[in-house]
Amino acid sequence: MYLLGESMNLFKNKRLVISFKLLSCVALGACSQLQQPSVASTSSESTPAVTIATAEGCRGADCRQPQPQDTSAPALPHTVWQRIEAGYQLGEHSKHPKAQEILDWYRQHPSYLKTISERASRYIHYITEKVEERNFPSEIALLPAVESAYDPFAYSPGRAAGLWQFIPGTAKHVGLKHSWWFDGRRDVLDSTGAALDYLASLNKRFDGDWLLTLAAYNAGGGTVSRAIRHNRRHGKPTDFWSLDLPAETRRYVPKLLALSVLISSAEESGLELTEVADGPYFRVVDTGGQIDLAQAADFAGVSIDEIYHLNPGFNRWATDPAGPHRLLVPYSRAESFQKKLAALPPEQRMNWERYAVKPGDTLITIARKYHTDIATIKATNKLNNNLIRAGQTLLLPAASRGEGHYRFSADQRLASAQDSGSGDGRSKVYHNVQSGESLWTIARQHGVRLSALSKWNNLAPGDTIRPGQQLAIWKTGAATQPSASNGRGIIRKVGYTVRSGDSLARIAGKFNVGINDIAQWNKINPAKYLKPGQYLTLYVDVTNVSQFGP
């Protein structure tokens, strides 16, 4: 019976092999050469296995084991750029003259593509996957390049922040969290989810028209709807190209279209595109509670700068005690990070100091001194109100390496050094644009390259400059402007145009800077009134500015 059973099993296995080959050859149209194997050949016969490795630490193309070559199937993308290109849906619109005009500018400024692709390398795979999950055109994964040049710390004069450049009102509308510890506009996961939700709602509003959707993301749904109603009343077409929209929006959509073409044609155009493997850059690790970012960096075996760039939503030296309780960690380091974190008791994930309350102390003064907030002090010490007494002992969270070390990344330290006239020997000066001037004439006047002048001022292709606008220019010699850094945060230079009703106090409160600082930066008398239309230069700590202020 045993031998009979073995013979039957062998017979069944051979039938499976034959059936598999029959199905395969039918699919390939090559059945004429099929030969049935003999029983004697069973022990040596094998079929190549196609497997995907799941070992920890592998990335993108490195994860795939050698596979049998199948010339009938298209090759899998090995870079995320190829993956994005495969999902393009807006290609027909990229032939429009407006898009071609911007494409020409991109090609004439090759450093732009290199900078964008380098910055995107940490985030682009994650965003691409989220875009694909919603069946959006894959061009949407490139939208942060247009919005922020893929800089998670980007900050605009209109107080838009993060990769997706949410302004305060929209951020509040879509439910992005903002606290003293955390700003969801800059968080990679939260802002991406909110941006795609917002795009989905706009796309539904505009009946699936993606060009109108993108225009509404930039200018607001109401602005686009009004333009559509205007054209209808006058018997005009209501497609994006026919609408009377703000100048910025008329260039915004073509920028994305041109960028998508630039990505797909980079090699043939001789442009340098930073190669990004089609695999995750990071993993999300549940921390279970608050953790010191320096300690997290040590556990992950990476620099604090890397942790902060992966987790730009955290404003301080530690994660938010109220959550989110998770960190993005480089993919290959995540498993080791989890093991070390699990071995560390929760009470040791932060440094704590005992503080004896002195006469005259308040929770506000103590919170400022220790760079924390009142809510954290109250929660840690189980205080029901704000009353404290001299001699009382409080347990306070304290940064292990000084707060400034966490919130001031390497590239920002360099920028600050350059602002103050140190660093690489260059200093920053400012040029006030005069009537009739162009970027080209200003570049010639100061002896710098046009591409460099555009890059220094984060100017998009074709953007116009206006009289009174200030342009930053790096030159040799002593700096004429004060330092842009307070030594603690992520500093961004912001241009602000004074509006009717503005005062130095109001502007200082809006951007969380000092009145005397504004006066010094702009060489104005703080006792004098501001004039509507007056242009001011501000140096804003984007990790400390009020999101929902006036």
Side-chain angles (χ1 to χ4, degrees):
M1 290 298 292
Y2 175 82
L3 292 176
L4 178 60
E6 287 299 296
S7 300
M8 290 299 293
N9 286 337
L10 180 60
F11 177 70
K12 288 177 182 178
N13 289 339
K14 297 312 299 178
R15 288 183 61 188
L16 287 173
V17 171
I18 295 169
S19 298
F20 176 80
K21 290 194 172 183
L22 282 169
L23 289 173
S24 300
C25 74
V26 167
L28 297 173
C31 294
S32 59
Q33 301 300 318
L34 181 64
Q35 295 181 356
Q36 295 187 9
S38 64
V39 175
S41 66
T42 302
S43 60
S44 61
E45 182 179 82
S46 63
T47 54
V50 180
T51 60
I52 303 295
T54 57
E56 292 293 340
C58 67
R59 289 273 310 281
D62 296 334
C63 291
R64 290 190 285 271
Q65 299 299 317
Q67 302 182 29
Q69 190 168 2
D70 182 0
T71 57
S72 66
L76 292 173
H78 69 276
T79 72
V80 74
W81 309 117
Q82 292 172 329
R83 179 174 177 174
I84 292 172
E85 184 182 356
Y88 282 175
Q89 298 178 30
L90 307 178
E92 60 179 299
H93 302 291
S94 63
K95 299 180 178 63
H96 193 279
K98 291 288 186 183
Q100 290 297 313
E101 174 189 338
I102 296 175
L103 179 60
D104 290 341
W105 188 95
Y106 280 143
R107 286 173 171 162
Q108 293 167 18
H109 299 81
S111 62
Y112 181 80
L113 180 61
K114 186 175 185 295
T115 299
I116 294 298
S117 57
E118 283 178 350
R119 287 180 180 171
S121 60
R122 289 183 175 93
Y123 321 109
I124 186 70
H125 180 268
Y126 173 81
I127 291 175
T128 299
E129 285 199 326
K130 294 305 174 184
V131 166
E132 289 178 348
E133 286 175 6
R134 296 172 183 253
N135 295 317
F136 285 1
S138 62
E139 288 95 336
I140 301 300
L142 304 175
L143 193 57
V146 177
E147 285 286 349
S148 62
Y150 256 104
D151 177 5
F153 301 109
Y155 190 81
S156 78
R159 293 191 296 158
L163 291 172
W164 297 93
Q165 287 290 280
F166 276 104
I167 60 174
T170 306
K172 191 172 184 178
H173 173 72
V174 299
L176 285 172
K177 177 181 177 178
H178 178 259
S179 70
W180 190 84
W181 292 92
F182 181 79
D183 188 343
R185 296 179 301 166
R186 292 198 314 272
D187 183 75
V188 177
L189 306 188
D190 288 358
S191 67
T192 298
L196 298 184
D197 284 345
Y198 187 44
L199 284 164
S201 67
L202 290 172
N203 192 246
K204 182 178 180 180
R205 175 174 177 174
F206 294 104
D207 300 322
D209 188 315
W210 275 104
L211 267 57
L212 295 179
T213 299
L214 292 165
Y217 188 88
N218 176 253
T223 299
V224 176
S225 292
R226 285 191 294 272
I228 290 174
R229 289 195 296 269
H230 178 273
N231 275 24
R232 281 177 179 162
R233 285 197 301 268
H234 293 82
K236 296 180 179 179
T238 57
D239 63 286
F240 167 77
W241 305 108
S242 303
L243 297 180
D244 183 15
L245 295 168
E248 178 187 342
T249 308
R250 290 199 303 269
R251 298 195 68 82
Y252 178 85
V253 176
K255 285 177 190 176
L256 180 65
L257 298 172
L259 185 59
S260 67
V261 175
L262 189 73
I263 294 289
S264 60
S265 63
E267 185 175 354
E268 61 190 68
S269 300
L271 300 177
E272 185 175 353
L273 179 65
T274 301
E275 185 169 305
V276 181
D278 184 22
Y281 185 94
F282 59 78
R283 279 176 57 185
V284 182
V285 178
D286 182 5
T287 60
Q290 191 178 29
I291 186 171
D292 186 307
L293 292 179
Q295 194 170 50
D298 289 342
F299 280 8
V302 298
S303 67
I304 296 177
D305 287 344
E306 178 70 5
I307 287 294
Y308 201 55
H309 273 88
L310 285 175
N311 302 274
F314 293 114
N315 292 332
R316 310 292 159 180
W317 48 271
T319 60
D320 190 338
H325 297 310
R326 42 107 168 127
L327 281 177
L328 309 189
V329 178
Y331 193 91
S332 61
R333 307 297 178 91
E335 184 178 11
S336 173
F337 175 82
Q338 285 179 306
K339 290 179 179 178
K340 292 179 180 178
L341 187 65
L344 186 71
E347 63 272 12
Q348 295 182 24
R349 295 177 186 177
M350 295 279 292
N351 287 322
W352 302 91
E353 291 186 15
R354 294 187 178 276
Y355 178 79
V357 178
K358 299 176 176 61
D361 274 346
T362 65
L363 287 183
I364 293 177
T365 59
I366 296 172
R368 287 176 178 170
K369 181 179 179 180
Y370 280 85
H371 305 299
T372 185
D373 63 336
I374 294 175
T376 299
I377 297 177
K378 291 174 68 175
T380 302
N381 295 276
K382 297 181 173 54
L383 301 178
N384 296 323
N385 51 52
N386 293 338
L387 298 178
I388 53 175
R389 66 182 186 279
Q392 182 179 354
T393 298
L394 297 177
L395 198 60
L396 302 175
S400 60
R401 300 183 196 172
E403 184 185 17
H405 188 78
Y406 301 85
R407 301 198 311 130
F408 207 41
S409 61
D411 56 331
Q412 299 304 320
R413 287 194 291 270
L414 175 59
S416 175
Q418 292 172 335
D419 280 339
S420 59
S422 57
D424 63 358
R426 294 187 302 162
S427 60
K428 184 187 284 185
V429 298
Y430 294 98
H431 178 94
N432 290 312
V433 178
Q434 306 297 316
S435 179
E437 286 187 321
S438 67
L439 286 174
W440 184 78
T441 60
I442 295 170
R444 288 197 62 187
Q445 177 182 340
H446 289 274
V448 298
R449 291 178 300 161
L450 176 60
S451 60
L453 180 62
S454 301
K455 181 179 179 181
W456 292 333
N457 293 278
N458 197 27
L459 291 174
D463 283 356
T464 56
I465 55 176
R466 62 185 184 281
Q469 182 177 352
Q470 283 190 329
L471 299 178
I473 301 171
W474 292 107
K475 302 185 72 173
T476 56
T480 60
Q481 297 295 326
S483 169
S485 168
N486 63 8
R488 280 190 180 161
I490 302 299
I491 308 300
R492 285 290 185 266
K493 173 180 171 287
V494 174
Y496 182 81
T497 302
V498 176
R499 304 168 187 173
S500 179
D502 271 344
S503 66
L504 282 177
R506 179 180 175 84
I507 297 170
K510 179 181 291 187
F511 292 96
N512 200 21
V513 297
I515 294 175
N516 291 333
D517 288 333
I518 298 178
Q520 180 184 1
W521 293 333
N522 295 277
K523 300 188 183 306
I524 59 177
N525 186 343
K528 291 186 177 181
Y529 289 106
L530 299 175
K531 298 178 181 178
Q534 184 176 349
Y535 187 84
L536 298 177
T537 296
L538 308 175
Y539 295 98
V540 179
D541 178 353
V542 300
T543 62
N544 202 33
V545 70
S546 172
Q547 182 186 154
F548 302 126

